[in-house]
């Protein structure tokens, strides 16, 4: 099979539905062999029911890919555990003999205002999003480092999934926003540390209609007369496929927003107005200085939900 991802082996976590499913199908359409990871849990991470007679969500996506002439295999391990993350990489290597691209996408929501947010709901969301990015990345990186030391420097790619909530915050999603902001920090560190092993690491902050966002985007459908559904998950996947391919050489440590037909490079934290008096401020002087600097600074974007 030919295509942008021909001969590459790609693992996509949380690929049974929504964005992950769209990514897996898009990679397969471009020639990749895909490891489709999904636990089949509910929207809040509680155990879900398997589709009668047809396996879980991962199996259904694998069947779609195979029916279209592609190659795929299912993985049902919990990637927020050491064994589950390690077995994801092993599955790729044992099945296809190589591993080229990791797309970290798995996640769920437990939305509450901060004063009502239980510790268990905080831990569960941070675990699946942030730890669920770290552990597959760690085990993938260990494989690519070993390949480099053996004289086989890979052309490896990692695409992490953040969110507008991680960039700006989102009311009622303190746990999710914190985890998604952490993913951006992890992306920057991984890009710096893993470049020597031939690994490029980037992140996307997608906006699309999925189980997690269907209420927020319920009224956003195809633009009149165009047939183009701006909130379809499939709109985000082309950028993810490109970032996960050899064609994205030289692009690392970057964060992109993707929604409909729009792609934006996010520029992150940069020094703004500053002053240095050369000696210590008193608290009152520090306050006066801070207010003067803020008067010259670019206002922050609005938190979602305000």
């Amino acid at each position: 099979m030919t295509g942008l991802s021909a001969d590459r082996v790609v693992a996509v976590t949380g690929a049974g539905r929504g964005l992950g499913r769209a990514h897996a199908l898009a990679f397969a359409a471009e020639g990749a062999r895909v490891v489709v990871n999904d636990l089949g849990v509910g929207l809040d991470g509680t155990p879900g029911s398997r589709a009668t007679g047809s396996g879980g969500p991962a199996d259904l996506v694998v069947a779609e890919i195979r029916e279209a002439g592609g190659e795929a295999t299912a993985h049902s391990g919990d990637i927020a555990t050491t064994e589950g993350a390690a077995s994801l990489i092993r599955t790729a290597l044992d099945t296809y003999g190589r591993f080229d691209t990791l797309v970290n996408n798995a996640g769920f929501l437990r939305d509450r205002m901060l004063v009502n947010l239980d510790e268990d709901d905080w831990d569960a969301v941070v675990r699946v999003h942030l730890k669920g990015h770290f552990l597959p990345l760690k085990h993938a990186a260990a494989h690519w480092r070993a390949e480099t030391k053996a004289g086989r420097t890979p052309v490896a790619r990692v695409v992490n999934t953040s969110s507008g909530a991680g960039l700006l915050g989102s009311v009622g999603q303190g746990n999710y926003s914190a985890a998604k902001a952490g993913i951006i920090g992890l992306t920057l560190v991984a890009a710096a540390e893993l470049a020597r092993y031939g690994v490029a690491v980037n992140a996307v902050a997608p906006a699309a209609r999925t189980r997690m966002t269907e209420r927020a985007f319920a009224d956003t459908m195809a633009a009149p007369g165009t047939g183009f559904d701006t909130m379809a998950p499939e709109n985000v996947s082309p950028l993810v496929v490109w970032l996960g391919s050899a064609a994205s050489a030289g692009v690392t440590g970057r964060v992109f927003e993707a929604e409909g037909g729009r792609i934006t490079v996010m520029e992150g934290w940069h020094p703004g107005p500053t002053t240095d008096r050369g000696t210590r401020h008193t608290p009152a002087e520090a306050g006066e200085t801070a207010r003067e600097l803020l008067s010259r600074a670019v206002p922050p974007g609005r938190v979602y939900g305000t």
Side-chain angles (χ1 to χ4, degrees), residues 63-81:
E64 282 189 78
I65 291 172
R66 290 176 177 173
E67 286 170 8
E71 295 183 60
T73 190
H75 177 267
S76 60
D78 182 353
I79 46 79
T81 66

Side-chain angles (χ1 to χ4, degrees), residues 57-109:
D59 300 299
L60 297 177
V61 175
V62 167
E64 282 189 78
I65 291 172
R66 290 176 177 173
E67 286 170 8
E71 295 183 60
T73 190
H75 177 267
S76 60
D78 182 353
I79 46 79
T81 66
T82 295
E83 175 53 31
S87 71
L88 176 69
I89 312 308
R90 284 201 307 271
T91 296
L93 294 172
D94 292 347
T95 306
Y96 300 118
R98 59 183 295 158
F99 181 56
D100 303 287
T101 298
L102 170 66
V103 179
N104 284 316
N105 170 77
F108 54 73
L109 296 176

